Structures are given as C-alpha cells and as structure tokens.
Amino acid sequence: CWGSAVVGGVGDGQLGLRLAPSPVSGGHQFRSIMTQNSQSCGVTTSNTLLCWGRYTTSVSTPTNSPAPVQIPTPEAVASLAISFDAFQCILSVSKAAWCRSLLNTRGQLGTGNTDANNGNFARVTGNHEFEAITVGRSHACALKASGETYCWGAGDLVGRVGAPSASSTPTPIEGAHQFVRISAGSNHTCALTPAGEAWCWGSTLNS
C-alpha cells in the first residue's frame, strides 16, 4: 500500500506518508483487499478478516491501527465489502451475509430493524445464499447465483419504487433482471447483465 498513513491506512506499522509502495506488515497472504476512507481490510487465504487504519479494532469505540488486526467474524470469510462510517459486510464460505456499522438508522445492516448492534457482525435476515456483495454509504446489495439482486438500507437506493425510507430486510430489486456483476457507489448501484449491459439505480446527484 502507499499514500497517506495518518491513521495507519497503509498498514506497514507506521504513520505518515508513503510515496512508494510499502509492504503490509505481518507477512499475510490475501485473496482480496479493499480500501475506503482511510481504512483497509483484506480476506486472507485462510479465510480470516484483517483490517488496518481507521476504526480498525472496533466500530463502536473507534480505534485506529497502523498494522493489520484480525477482526472477529461469526464464520470463515469468503469476501468482503467496505464503505464509509465503518460499514462492512462479509460473505461467509457458506454464502451467508453478515454486516456491521457505526450506524443502522437506514436499516443498512439488513437485520429487519434499525437497532444498533454495537459494532458486531449481525447476520442479514432471510437465510439467503449470495455470491457477491457490495455496500454504499447507507445501503447494501447482494447477488445470488440465479442472477437475482437483493438490496437493503436506504429506501431510495434499494432499486424498488415506493420502498420505505428504511428497508431493513433484503428486497428483490424492481424488474426481472439477471446480473453477473454488481458494484455500489455511495448513493447508487450499477450491475452488469450476462450480455454486458449496464443497469443502474439510486441517486443521480453528483453521479
């Protein structure tokens, strides 16, 4: 990693600025890595979740770390998605979705309510099996093997006309779409069909 390490986002154990790539400390092997808002997280080849930088050790009591810290997860981790305000979702090896965040005012944890969960990972309701997951500032979307897309969180971002302001359970998006890739921005989401067509929904302000 390289760039600003004011709160440890580079992960080499030091603070400051890195103009050239610096190895993340610990000698870990990762299968995937994501960064957002001075926080970095990665899934190791042994299916554990490591994070460094902003809000590393706890999202309920923000603590920064300049080196990777293993984050407790309820299951072995297959993939992850992270966004602002320490909003993180993981897919387990059993394809279950789990989320944690500083906030749950828009139902972005997908737990069927807007209660806070003290920064612990909470299972997304519905016993769904997902292949991919992505998160925005206050919403999340996940993709099933069938190509169906489910979203939850801020009601104007979940891809369904007339959704409530907080949609706290996974809800199929509007229309009989089948997608193979999906990616969320802060306030919108885009997905690709098997034919390579792009479809998007959510806010078009500053997009």
Side-chain angles (χ1 to χ4, degrees):
C1 299
W2 58 95
S4 174
V6 173
V7 295
V10 170
D12 61 359
Q14 304 295 322
L15 303 179
L17 179 65
R18 303 290 180 275
L19 298 179
S22 182
V24 173
S25 63
H28 305 286
Q29 292 184 313
F30 295 96
R31 69 172 72 254
S32 63
I33 190 171
M34 294 193 74
T35 65
Q36 182 64 264
N37 199 26
S38 299
Q39 182 187 70
S40 302
C41 293
V43 177
T44 69
T45 53
S46 57
N47 301 111
T48 59
L49 177 63
L50 300 179
C51 293
W52 56 96
R54 187 170 182 253
Y55 295 162
T56 298
T57 56
S58 171
V59 297
S60 58
T61 305
T63 305
N64 304 328
S65 175
V69 174
Q70 184 170 340
I71 307 300
T73 58
E75 296 185 77
V77 181
S79 61
L80 80 150
I82 64 176
S83 186
F84 296 93
D85 297 322
F87 181 23
Q88 303 172 347
C89 291
I90 59 172
L91 289 184
S92 70
V93 293
S94 67
K95 302 183 179 181
W98 300 76
C99 296
R100 71 173 187 161
S101 177
L102 285 170
L103 305 171
N104 190 32
T105 54
R106 307 297 295 277
Q108 56 263 50
L109 294 179
T111 53
N113 56 55
T114 56
D115 299 335
N117 70 330
N118 298 318
N120 300 312
F121 277 105
R123 183 162 183 171
V124 174
T125 60
N127 294 319
H128 298 284
E129 292 186 357
F130 293 118
E131 299 295 322
I133 194 165
T134 184
V135 299
R137 183 180 290 274
S138 58
H139 77 291
C141 294
L143 190 64
K144 290 196 166 189
S146 62
E148 292 177 285
T149 298
Y150 285 71
C151 296
W152 58 94
D156 52 347
L157 306 179
V158 298
R160 177 160 291 276
V161 175
S165 59
S167 182
S168 60
T169 59
T171 304
I173 64 168
E174 200 84 29
H177 300 287
Q178 287 188 318
F179 295 123
V180 295
R181 297 285 187 275
I182 190 166
S183 180
S186 293
N187 298 304
H188 73 292
T189 305
C190 290
L192 290 179
T193 69
E197 295 176 312
W199 292 72
C200 300
W201 58 94
S203 174
T204 58
L205 297 176
N206 301 317
S207 297

